[in-house]
Amino acid sequence: MKHALFPLNTIVFPGGILPLQIFEQRYLTLIKDCMKQETGFVIVLIIEGKEVGSAPQIYCTGCYVEIIDWQSLPNGLLGISIQAKHRVRLSNSTVRDDGLLLADTTLFESTLDTDNPPLPKAFSPLVDTLKQLVEHPFASRYKDKIDYGSTADICYRLSELLPISNKQRQLLLETESTEQMLDQLVLHINDLQK
């Protein structure tokens, strides 16, 4: 299936909520089309280039998102909130005349999403770390919205909230197994505590 892409210098994981300000004509058209057709689009991280202007170079894995709220902002721009639904792989990307990127998308297969196994006891400290992160103001949008019984939810929220680089986040987004993601998160937390 072909979807429109929204390249950003940020990453969103399944279940994640992100507010955006829309001002470029190609994205205003995208949002209007998505709302009319009741469909979503794909947020993808920029490798090289900018969010504004000509089409940037992007990664091949992103997140399919849907618009959950919109409003006119005091500065006159359109404000939307999006929620990520699932990870997707991108292929055959093209650029429309107006500069909007499009790509074929396929569902990203991962044991984390398909099995969502219980969190192994050895990784229970991750829950405490996540609970501490959610107490910070920058994570307030997730207060009372995290399913601590879901390994996927724990992994995705930690991936978004840990103070790590976008490149490290992208590697987490591209992780195919639950064990790999849990191991990577523990390594990041250990590095941050040094």
Side-chain angles (χ1 to χ4, degrees):
M1 176 171 269
K2 199 169 269 301
H3 282 106
L5 309 182
F6 201 121
L8 289 173
N9 285 312
T10 192
I11 299 175
V12 65
F13 288 79
I17 298 166
L18 185 68
L20 296 171
Q21 288 188 41
I22 312 297
F23 54 90
E24 280 192 89
Q25 188 55 51
R26 60 184 162 180
Y27 297 124
L28 288 167
T29 303
L30 163 67
I31 300 309
K32 189 174 101 181
D33 291 347
C34 285
M35 292 173 79
K36 193 185 304 180
Q37 297 162 12
E38 295 183 6
T39 187
F41 55 94
V42 175
I43 298 285
V44 62
L45 182 65
I46 294 171
I47 298 173
E48 195 173 295
K50 296 182 179 169
E51 291 179 356
V52 180
S54 59
Q57 187 181 351
I58 56 170
Y59 284 91
C60 294
T61 302
C63 245
Y64 175 81
V65 303
E66 292 178 351
I67 300 163
I68 56 171
D69 194 17
W70 64 275
Q71 62 181 330
S72 292
L73 299 173
N75 59 8
L77 300 179
L78 173 64
I80 64 168
S81 289
I82 51 121
Q83 183 165 29
K85 296 299 179 182
H86 53 262
R87 296 183 281 170
V88 292
R89 292 188 193 277
L90 309 174
S91 59
N92 304 319
S93 61
T94 57
V95 184
R96 249 180 17 193
D97 289 344
D98 63 359
L100 186 71
L101 278 166
L102 301 168
D104 291 330
T105 62
T106 53
L107 191 62
F108 187 99
E109 296 292 333
S110 161
T111 59
L112 185 62
D113 301 309
T114 54
D115 303 341
N116 196 8
L119 187 69
K121 278 195 163 85
F123 293 97
S124 60
L126 292 177
V127 173
D128 297 329
T129 301
L130 181 56
K131 285 180 177 176
Q132 290 170 5
L133 284 168
V134 172
E135 291 305 312
H136 289 273
F138 72 86
S140 62
R141 66 186 181 274
Y142 292 120
K143 196 117 173 135
D144 305 321
K145 291 183 180 160
I146 296 172
D147 179 358
Y148 290 101
S150 163
T151 300
D153 214 19
I154 292 165
C155 287
Y156 290 144
R157 297 301 67 79
L158 279 171
S159 297
E160 282 182 345
L161 298 174
L162 283 174
I164 56 177
S165 71
N166 275 342
K167 194 168 187 174
Q168 291 169 316
R169 279 193 179 84
Q170 183 66 31
L171 288 172
L172 286 165
L173 190 71
E174 295 171 3
T175 302
E176 294 182 9
S177 80
T178 306
E179 294 77 19
Q180 285 176 314
M181 186 170 273
L182 289 168
D183 287 342
Q184 283 187 46
L185 287 166
V186 168
L187 286 173
H188 289 312
I189 291 167
N190 288 343
D191 284 346
L192 290 166
Q193 290 173 340
K194 286 180 182 172

